[in-house]
Amino acid sequence: MRSRSHLLNDRTAEHYRRSLTEGIGRVAEKIAGTEHPFTGITPSQLAPAVTGIDLEEPLGDPAAALDELEDIYLRDAVYFHHPRYLAHLNCPVVIPAVLGEAVISAVNSSMDTWDQSAGGTLVERHLIAWTAERIGLGTAADGIFTSGGTQSNLQALLLAREEACRLAQKNSAKPLRKPEILPRLRVLTSECSHFSIEKAATLLGLGAEAVVSMPCDDDRRMRPSALAAELERCEREDLVVMAVVATAGTTDFGSIDPLPDIAELCERAGTWMHVDAAYGCGLLVSRRRHLLDGIERADSVTVDYHKSFFQPVSSSAVLVRDQAALRHVTYHADYLNPRRMAENAIPNQVDKSIQTTRRFDALKLWLTLRIMGAAGVGELFDEVVDRASEAWQLLRDDPRFEVVTRPQLSTLVFRYLPPQPASGTLADEVNLHARQALFASGEAVVASTVVDGRHYLKFTLLNPETSIDDIAAVLDLVAEHAGRRLTARQGGLDSRRPGTDPEPVHPRAS
Ligand SMILES: Cc1ncc(COP(=O)(O)O)c(C=O)c1O
């Protein structure tokens, strides 16, 4: 009987209310009292606390379990809502979406079939139609929510592969089997695209050489001339370009490939155009919508609401121009979605998805749009894009740093420049050290990446609460850590700026 008291049902509604209220209370306290984005704890310091817990010995009591959770997770979590978390593509979340999260897990609909979700199916479909309309995909468009950009890209490329094989078979004079076509398939994408494109190609049974990297210009956008040349080469060599993947918001630079030019080339070559707008999709609701011009000509689009719509993980979708393409993932099973259901127009979302059991993630976006509206989301995204532009000016005018590109979205790739000539290796070392030292201090979290073979640091701004003073303060900290390592290495002082003295210097107040 005691175990049954943990099941959520008509008799335990009060237990549910108390349990969640207590849990939410603790998280609210935590969120309100977070002074740094991280505590700086190391894996070896934290691991014993977790592995030392005997999972055969339940605590029974939610309060005790939450106390324990404080020690093993909440105290040392990385908090994305903190204004000095500036690392990866993680956003602070909006409260309407978190409210949705609570509803999702309590009702626990599964989106595979109508008989497991009912209204949830219609909500998801309405949001897909709304997104497709914002993109401008036309009346035949459709799509499905997924677990993230990686899965959205995989599904898009799966559909593209199937379409390419179908067309190759149709246009061949002699019968062609699929295994004969697969080694000839190519995916063309920029050298700055996300690694999920390569993962998808591998999962789709294509060879390692299937993904061909197109060079970028100085702003890290795909060069259309290179794409045109590669499309011609593939044609000459009897290779089949199954998709061109344009990125609308590259992970490192936030750069947006020239979508109209790419669309033109794809149309001329009869090639599937996929736009990975995992990051840039926030522009769909922003005053900078024009930056996505050309996206409406895509055959498929990835959008990650959990990046630039301020949604909790997971919340993503893949959209297609022609709903018929989704038939490539339609399989029927007597135990779940027999063919007769489709014939009777029963809306089973599993017919469009590569997942079976699937969360009702769409509800978070629904409540967000119903409570704060699309313009409210766009305003938040515009704020971080504005902030990135200010931060770029700050970096450009600061002799301690070099910044790679002027941002179209909200990332900044930059590095500390040693004042006296230093080897590339030493410059790499001090930048990597600065990132690591900052992470260990817990005062701020920044990311790193490699550009043209050299190590750089990266800010990904997704928090409208991050002020320009926060950014200036973090730059001082970076310079301080890098300068100290440099001094230790060179045995001298970096005297250009107070922030680079060997003695600790406190960051500018925010
Ligand atoms: C451009 C781009 N595409 C795809 C992805 C993968 O998205 P997810 O992490 O949601 O799978 C990312 C992640 O950062 C990304 O930046």
Side-chain angles (χ1 to χ4, degrees):
M1 275 315 278
R2 268 176 56 78
S3 297
R4 285 213 194 179
S5 70
H6 292 291
L7 285 173
L8 176 55
N9 57 36
D10 54 340
R11 294 185 309 285
T12 56
E14 191 46 38
H15 175 189
Y16 159 72
R17 194 196 312 274
R18 268 189 283 111
S19 235
L20 262 78
T21 305
E22 167 143 26
I24 289 168
R26 298 223 191 180
V27 176
E29 241 173 67
K30 203 82 222 166
I31 300 272
T34 305
E35 286 177 1
H36 300 292
F38 185 46
T39 58
I41 199 162
T42 64
S44 60
Q45 285 167 336
L46 188 55
V50 180
T51 53
I53 287 173
D54 185 354
L55 293 173
E56 303 294 338
E57 288 292 331
L59 295 165
D61 168 34
L66 286 169
D67 286 344
E68 185 180 87
L69 200 65
E70 168 68 22
D71 290 338
I72 61 163
Y73 174 61
L74 288 173
R75 189 185 55 221
D76 299 298
V78 178
Y79 284 101
F80 302 153
H81 74 280
H82 194 282
R84 294 191 185 178
Y85 175 84
L86 307 171
H88 302 285
L89 273 165
N90 315 110
C91 52
V93 294
V94 290
I95 296 168
V98 182
L99 172 63
E101 197 69 77
V103 178
I104 292 165
S105 47
V107 181
N108 200 28
S109 294
S110 180
M111 300 306 292
D112 34 348
T113 52
W114 170 257
D115 69 0
Q116 299 176 74
S117 66
T121 293
L122 304 179
V123 166
E124 176 168 330
R125 288 186 166 206
H126 201 37
L127 284 169
I128 288 290
W130 175 81
T131 308
E133 198 179 328
R134 285 261 167 178
I135 297 172
L137 283 179
T139 51
D142 200 355
I144 193 81
F145 270 68
T146 70
S147 64
T150 302
Q151 187 186 335
S152 294
N153 284 341
L154 172 64
Q155 178 160 350
L157 290 179
L158 166 63
L159 304 180
R161 183 194 70 179
E162 293 306 293
E163 280 299 299
C165 288
R166 183 181 69 77
L167 287 173
Q169 285 169 325
K170 193 173 129 200
N171 297 333
S172 167
K174 60 178 177 68
L176 259 186
R177 289 180 317 113
K178 219 164 152 187
E180 294 173 82
I181 307 169
L182 291 185
R184 291 168 47 215
L185 295 182
R186 294 292 179 273
V187 176
L188 312 187
T189 191
S190 100
E191 58 187 335
C192 295
S193 68
H194 193 255
F195 78 154
S196 54
I197 304 303
E198 281 165 281
K199 278 195 188 183
T202 305
L203 286 166
L204 293 171
L206 311 181
E209 62 291 333
V211 179
V212 185
S213 277
M214 298 293 100
C216 286
D217 60 19
D218 289 346
D219 292 324
R220 313 288 157 169
R221 304 161 79 226
M222 192 197 294
R223 287 184 192 276
S225 56
L227 177 62
E230 187 60 20
L231 283 164
E232 276 172 28
R233 181 190 76 87
C234 289
E235 170 142 31
R236 265 196 321 275
E237 297 183 13
D238 200 26
L239 299 168
V240 180
V241 178
M242 69 171 229
V244 171
V245 178
T247 312
T250 58
T251 315
D252 272 347
F253 302 99
S255 46
I256 299 169
D257 286 336
L259 302 178
D261 294 347
I262 293 172
E264 198 60 42
L265 290 167
C266 286
E267 269 166 30
R268 239 187 280 155
T271 298
W272 183 286
M273 175 180 174
H274 175 63
V275 177
D276 178 356
Y279 175 17
C281 62
L283 294 173
L284 291 172
V285 289
S286 102
R287 60 182 154 82
R288 295 176 170 88
R289 169 65 180 80
H290 61 278
L291 292 177
L292 289 178
D293 283 354
I295 195 172
E296 68 285 351
R297 294 163 74 179
D299 294 287
S300 56
V301 178
T302 287
V303 293
D304 264 9
Y305 309 107
H306 64 210
K307 291 187 173 48
S308 47
F309 274 68
F310 305 93
Q311 299 294 292
V313 177
S314 290
S315 185
S316 175
V318 61
L319 288 298
V320 288
R321 151 178 309 288
D322 179 3
Q323 57 194 319
L326 292 170
R327 73 188 182 288
H328 296 302
V329 294
T330 308
Y331 291 77
H332 292 287
D334 291 337
Y335 48 76
L336 188 67
N337 61 337
R339 196 176 298 275
R340 69 169 184 283
M341 284 189 172
E343 287 159 5
N344 291 330
I346 308 285
N348 287 332
Q349 294 291 81
V350 73
D351 296 352
K352 306 177 186 182
S353 175
I354 57 176
Q355 284 175 260
T356 307
T357 303
R358 195 163 52 85
R359 282 168 56 84
F360 183 22
D361 284 318
L363 180 63
K364 295 178 282 193
L365 180 61
W366 180 270
L367 287 180
T368 302
L369 296 183
R370 299 309 297 142
I371 295 171
M372 59 186 284
V377 175
E379 224 172 85
L380 294 179
F381 191 55
D382 275 323
E383 267 193 69
V384 296
V385 178
D386 288 342
R387 195 73 19 79
S389 186
E390 292 168 53
W392 174 78
Q393 289 174 30
L394 199 65
L395 276 159
R396 185 200 53 184
D397 299 340
D398 189 332
R400 296 174 299 174
F401 297 100
E402 89 171 302
V403 57
V404 180
T405 57
R406 186 177 191 150
Q408 281 184 290
L409 296 181
S410 63
T411 61
L412 291 145
V413 178
F414 64 96
R415 70 196 223 130
Y416 173 80
L417 286 175
Q420 286 115 29
S423 71
T425 317
L426 182 56
D428 282 351
E429 182 192 323
V430 299
N431 277 282
L432 284 177
H433 169 79
R435 182 207 181 191
Q436 191 45 43
L438 204 54
F439 188 63
S441 76
E443 289 198 72
V445 187
V446 305
S448 66
T449 191
V450 171
V451 182
D452 304 330
R454 301 259 67 107
H455 287 281
Y456 280 74
L457 303 174
K458 182 170 77 162
F459 289 157
T460 306
L461 306 183
L462 277 179
N463 189 347
E465 293 286 312
T466 300
S467 67
I468 198 68
D469 286 344
D470 284 311
I471 293 166
V474 174
L475 287 175
D476 281 349
L477 288 169
V478 167
E480 180 190 332
H481 289 299
R484 265 204 248 157
R485 170 57 66 110
L486 193 67
T487 305
R489 280 273 184 232
Q490 293 183 325
L493 291 184
D494 171 10
S495 56
R496 277 182 313 172
R497 293 278 293 258
T500 55
D501 282 355
E503 288 307 307
V505 169
H506 295 293
R508 293 173 214 173
S510 55

